[in-house]
Amino acid sequence: MSRTAKEIIVRISDLVVTYGTEPVLDLPLLEFEKGKVHVLVGPNGAGKTTLLRVMNGLERPTKGIVEVFGRNLHALPRSERLAQMRRMTLSFQKPYLFNTSVRRNIEYGLRFRHIDSSEKTERVESSLKTLNLVELQYRNARTLSVGEMQRVSLARALALRPALVLLDEPTASVDQANRHRVEAATSELQAGGCTVVAATHELKQAYRLSANVVRLERGRLAPPALENLLEGEIIRKDGSSFLSVGGVLIHALSHGAGFVRAAIEPSAIIISRERIESSARNCLPGKVIALSELEDRVVATVDVGLKLTVHVTRESFDELGITLGSDVFLTFKASAVTVF
Amino acid sequence: MSGVDFLLDSLGEALGLIWSGNRDVYSAVSVSLQVACAATAITTLVGIPLAFLIYGHRFWGRRLVITVLNTLLALPTVVVGLFVYSFITRRSLLGPLDLLFTKKAMIFGEVILALPIVVALAGSAVVSLDKSVKETALTLGAGSSRVLIIMLREGRLAFMTAVAAAFGRLIGEVGVSMMLGGNIAGVTRNITTAIALETSKGQFSFAMALGIILMILALGVNFVLRYAQGKGGVG
C-alpha cells in the first residue's frame, strides 16, 4: 500500500517526555496505521508504558505533538479531549478493578457512554465469553488472581468497542492456558475494525501478535528487532515440519500448524559457493542481489525464492569472492528458524 | 451500704430511668444527637471535598496545611470552645448574631472540632486510594464528576470510618458543649454536660443512665460501621 493511501490513526512527532532531567521518551516520528495491530517491544524502562499513557492522554508530553484521530490530543479543550479519550481505552499491566463483581466491572465504561441496556448486556456477554470469564462473572473482582484481573481488564476494553485500544503487557501474568485467549481477543478487536497498540517485552509474543513491531530502547526507536522475518504456513511432509513461504519450503522445528511468523538469525546462515554436505537440514540455492557493509561485516541479500539476509565477516567474504549476481548456497539448521 | 450495693442500686435506678423514658434523660440525649448529627453532616459536606483538595493535589504550602491539620487533631475541646467563644461572645465580632449558649453555637464549635478529623482521615483515604482508580476511570471515559463519584465509591469504607470517627468524637465531647452551650436544661444540656453536672450534684443514677446511653450510641456507631465493612465486599 502506498504511503499516501495509509490511514494513520496516531501520529507522534518530535515527542519528548522528561522525568526530572532525564528524557524517558524521545521520538522524532512514529505512526500507527488504522485497523492494524501494532506492537511496541523493548525491555523494562524502554518507555513503552509512558508512550501508551501519552497516547491515551493520561500523561502530558514535555514537548511534541500526539495526534490521535487527526487531532492534537494534548492541545484540545477538556471536553473535546474527553470525547477523544472515549474513542479509545488503555488496559494497564497491573489493572485496577473496581470493588464490585467482574460483570459490573465490564459494564462500567458502558455506563459512561449511555449504551442502552440490551446492547450493554450483549456486549458484556460477548466479552465474558471471549476472555473465558463466564464462570467468574459474579465473583468480586478483588478476589481474582492477577492473571484473571488482566483478562477482566481486557474484557472491559473489548466491551467498549473503541476505535483504538492500548494494551500494556496484556499477558504479563496470564497463565499459559489463557494466553491464547488474550491474543485471540487482540485479533478479534482488529477484526472489528479496531486499531490495537500493545506493549510487550517478549519478542516472541510481539511477532505472534503482529508483523508491525516497533522496537524501543531507552526511550528511542531502535532498528527493527528481526531480520529475515517470514510469514508462511507450517506444513508437515514425510514426518518433518516445513515452513512454506511463497512456494519455498524451509525445514523448521514446530509442533504447530497453519499460519505463523518466523525469523532466521542472519549470522546463523552459512553462505557458500558450492553445496555443503552437512547435518543442516536447509541448503537453498540462490543469487546475491544486494551487498552492503555493517561495521566489520558484510551484509548480503540473497534471493532463494524469497529474500534472505546473511551476515559474513569481511575475511570470509573476501575468501569466497562473492560479488553481486554470484550464485551461492545458503545453509542453516532447522533449529535456526524461530517460529513465533 | 457496701460499695457493690451502691453500684448495683445506682445501675438499677439508671436502667429504670432509661426504661421509664425519663424526660430529662431523653431531652439530653435528643440535644446530643441533634447537635452531633448536624455537626457531623456539615463536617462531612465540607471535610471530604477539602480532603480531596488538600490530599489529592500538589500545591505550595501543602505540607504546612497538613501539619496544621494533624496538630488540630489533638486539640483539647475546651480550647476549641474558648476559640469559638472569643468570636461569639456578645462583645466580639459575631456577638450581634446572639449565638452564645445556643445549639447553633455548639454545632459551630463541634464542626471546628471535627473538621480536622474528617479531613485528615478522609485525606488518608484519598492518598491510599490507588492512583490507578482515577486513571482507570479516565481510561474508561469518565468525566471529572464521574471520576470523583468513583473515587468516593471505591474509598467508601475509609470515608465512612472518617465520618464515624468524627461522630464518635462529637457525641462524647464535653468542652465545646459546656463552654458554648452553657448546659441550659431542655435547650443546650446534652448527655456529657448533664453527666458532668449531675455527678457533681450527687445524682449518680441519672448520670449513669446517660453514661449507659452514650455507650450504646458509641457501640451502635461501631456496629453499623462493622456491618458496612462486612457488606463492603461487593458494591
Side-chain angles (χ1 to χ4, degrees), chain B:
Chain B
M1 186 190 273
S2 73
V4 175
D5 288 340
F6 168 71
L7 280 176
L8 288 175
D9 283 351
S10 304
L11 183 63
E13 280 175 40
L15 291 174
L17 285 169
I18 296 169
W19 187 251
S20 64
N22 181 281
R23 236 181 88 190
D24 292 338
V25 168
Y26 285 100
S27 158
V29 171
S30 164
V31 172
S32 271
L33 284 175
Q34 283 173 46
V35 172
C37 286
T40 305
I42 295 169
T43 312
T44 304
L45 289 176
V46 178
I48 290 181
L50 262 180
F52 272 98
L53 276 178
I54 296 169
Y55 288 83
H57 296 86
R58 307 234 161 258
F59 56 88
W60 190 86
R62 180 172 173 265
R63 277 183 163 211
L64 181 70
V65 172
I66 291 174
T67 308
V68 170
L69 268 171
N70 289 338
T71 311
L72 290 176
L73 280 177
L75 208 59
T77 55
V78 283
V79 174
V80 177
L82 181 67
F83 173 75
V84 177
Y85 187 97
S86 67
F87 278 91
I88 62 171
T89 185
R90 291 198 167 77
R91 287 168 297 164
S92 191
L93 287 172
L94 304 176
L97 296 177
D98 214 11
L99 289 170
L100 195 60
F101 304 138
T102 63
K103 279 186 216 153
K104 283 180 188 159
M106 292 163 80
I107 292 169
F108 186 15
E110 290 198 350
V111 167
I112 290 178
L113 184 66
L115 200 57
I117 299 172
V118 170
V119 176
L121 292 182
S124 311
V126 171
V127 172
S128 67
L129 262 182
D130 208 318
K131 190 176 87 173
S132 46
V133 176
K134 185 178 173 184
E135 294 194 337
T136 300
L138 287 171
T139 62
L140 294 174
S144 317
S145 52
R146 285 278 193 173
V147 170
L148 195 67
I149 292 168
I150 288 172
M151 290 181 82
L152 280 172
R153 251 185 86 86
E154 289 299 293
R156 57 192 179 271
L157 290 179
F159 292 123
M160 278 168 66
T161 306
V163 174
F167 181 80
R169 169 95 155 132
L170 297 185
I171 199 83
E173 74 79 29
V174 64
V176 168
S177 303
M178 192 70 94
M179 290 187 75
L180 305 177
N183 196 26
I184 302 166
V187 184
T188 59
R189 177 175 296 175
N190 66 8
I191 298 177
T192 51
T193 57
I195 290 175
L197 183 81
E198 298 302 325
T199 309
S200 66
K201 276 164 56 186
Q203 296 291 330
F204 192 64
S205 319
F206 187 83
M208 197 181 249
L210 288 170
I212 290 168
I213 291 174
L214 194 57
M215 295 262 289
I216 291 169
L217 283 174
L219 273 171
V221 170
N222 273 299
F223 274 125
V224 169
L225 204 62
R226 278 275 175 190
Y227 178 74
Q229 282 169 347
K231 293 273 283 182
V234 176

Side-chain angles (χ1 to χ4, degrees), chain A residues 64-84:
Chain A
I65 296 170
V66 179
E67 240 176 77
V68 186
F69 310 116
R71 305 187 71 189
N72 184 1
L73 184 67
H74 296 277
L76 291 174
R78 184 189 278 241
S79 61
E80 289 179 43
R81 196 168 72 236
L82 178 64
Q84 292 291 70

Side-chain angles (χ1 to χ4, degrees), chain A residues 53 56 58 78 82 85-86 88-90 92 96 98-100 104 108-109 111-113 140 142 156 160, chain B residues 129-133 135-144 146 150 153-154 156-157 232-235:
Chain A
R53 291 170 59 84
N56 190 71
L58 286 180
R78 184 189 278 241
L82 178 64
M85 285 172 79
R86 282 192 176 160
M88 57 178 152
T89 191
L90 165 62
F92 298 104
Y96 182 89
F98 299 114
N99 189 8
T100 181
R104 291 188 74 175
Y108 243 99
R111 289 198 220 162
F112 307 152
R113 288 164 171 77
N140 184 323
R142 295 283 178 79
R156 196 160 60 180
L160 297 176
Chain B
L129 262 182
D130 208 318
K131 190 176 87 173
S132 46
V133 176
E135 294 194 337
T136 300
L138 287 171
T139 62
L140 294 174
S144 317
R146 285 278 193 173
I150 288 172
R153 251 185 86 86
E154 289 299 293
R156 57 192 179 271
L157 290 179
V234 176

Side-chain angles (χ1 to χ4, degrees), chain A residues 300-316:
Chain A
T301 307
V302 181
D303 186 353
V304 292
L306 54 103
K307 287 173 195 157
L308 289 179
T309 302
V310 186
H311 289 189
V312 279
T313 60
R314 173 149 284 288
E315 266 182 349
S316 306

